[in-house]
Amino acid sequence: MFRSSATTSPHEDVPRLFLLLALICGLQHVSAQHLSGTIEERAAWGRTLVLSVVRGAEHHALDSVLISADGKFTFPKRQGPEGFHQLALNDSDRVDLILSPEEAEVVLEFASVPLQEHIRVLRSDLNQGLWEYKLVSRESQAQLAAIQDERRSVSPTDMAASLALTEREAQVQQRRTATMDRIIARDSTAYFARVILADRRLMAAVPLGAESIGNSFAWADPGLMHSSIYPKAVMAYLQKLPFEVDGGLRAGADSILLWTSPDTACWSYARTLLVRIFNEYGPEDMVQYLVDRYVAGPDARLPADRSLLHLVSERMKVAIGAKAPDVWLRAPSTGDSTRLHDVLSAHRYTLLFFYSSTCDHCHQQMPGLRALYAEHERADLTILGLSLDTDLEEFQDTVRDQDLPWPGYSELNGWGSKVAKAFQVKATPTMLLLDASGTIVAKPYDHAELRSILGNLLE
């Protein structure tokens, strides 16, 4: 660790939705606000306008109202999280805005649809600043696109024309930056200014590495969670971790969850975000680690919500505290099979050691495991070697050359092993410690951690 310290449908019951979001987002950071306005486009009258809150790259419905017969809409005075929100007339017609306890009232006017192209902020300094920047940014993007089109028609040998286009690009970027600077100068503590400054600090830290990123970002600021910068910071931090260092990703995930711990909402969001990132990009063993420790294990500060549970449902079956599947273990030399739970009942603890004869890291664990096996009575501890080999001779050579004293099993089917699939094994070596009843009590990272765990369990 680098620092110490530590869609729902808008037509569902609104109070129930709001109560759920209140628990997730932490209402201690907010106060009552009033959002209202008009839409002059007659085709929108009588339709539903949905208010959503931004959380990273997602939008969660908070409330909905009908646009009146004269184009007016008013959301009930409400409490809600500080940060970016969206108003949506339908799935594609959405407009960004900021709601914050800094402002008691936000009044908007839309001359037509689509909403985002016809917005006028009548009351709200925050949203006037936001849309001042958005309009300049939109103009800048159009200008940069036009410059790129011109660049395609310029000869590579025409240095004067190329330099002129580069200068125009720089001027466009400078105008956009100047707009941001003006907004910050008005009030650097206002929400939009805070997000801009947080993004600048993050971008300045990225070239310096993971430690600088960790120190630059306010991980426990729930306001930043309601912006796209939060997942940006998490991804930037993870990408700068030393992947080649054993345990580096685990320590990085632990650090993020430690830094977010002062705020329950940030911690819960960071846990879900980390699980999703590793589930999509790998390594898969990180998903199981997060499930074991932060979803089902001792550091699960909050119950997982429905979406997270759905994502990790299969992994929960082999999480710490779950009952291990009763699989058949096959002895490759004889072809005899034994039920796992029949073995478990004869010992207080049983270690399942998944390995491969071609895995150097697995071989590094074997001397330490041999020592533990020799030190404990069989009634207290046994080890079952579960090889993901495909060749009988390789399996037997490893048992002989490494002097493995424990029972060894293998289906000789490599990663097609039914036992490995049943226990969601994604890498070797993998260790699981089970008690006599078949409950998974620990997943040691290596033989040294296993020694420590056994010392506590058997004392």
Side-chain angles (χ1 to χ4, degrees), residues 289 347 350 437 457:
Y289 171 73
H347 314 275
T350 299
S437 71
L457 291 173

Side-chain angles (χ1 to χ4, degrees), residues 65-123:
V65 297
L66 288 176
I67 303 169
S68 69
D70 57 356
K72 296 179 180 179
F73 64 88
T74 301
F75 285 87
K77 188 170 279 191
R78 52 179 296 281
Q79 291 182 321
E82 176 188 43
F84 285 100
H85 292 66
Q86 277 194 346
L87 280 178
L89 190 58
N90 53 50
D91 288 341
S92 60
D93 194 356
R94 297 171 176 268
V95 62
D96 296 326
L97 68 152
I98 296 172
L99 296 180
S100 168
E102 300 173 18
E103 296 183 323
E105 190 168 21
V106 176
V107 183
L108 308 173
E109 181 181 81
F110 300 95
S112 186
V113 293
L115 299 180
Q116 63 176 323
E117 296 181 8
H118 299 89
I119 184 172
R120 181 185 176 201
V121 180
L122 301 182
R123 190 172 304 164

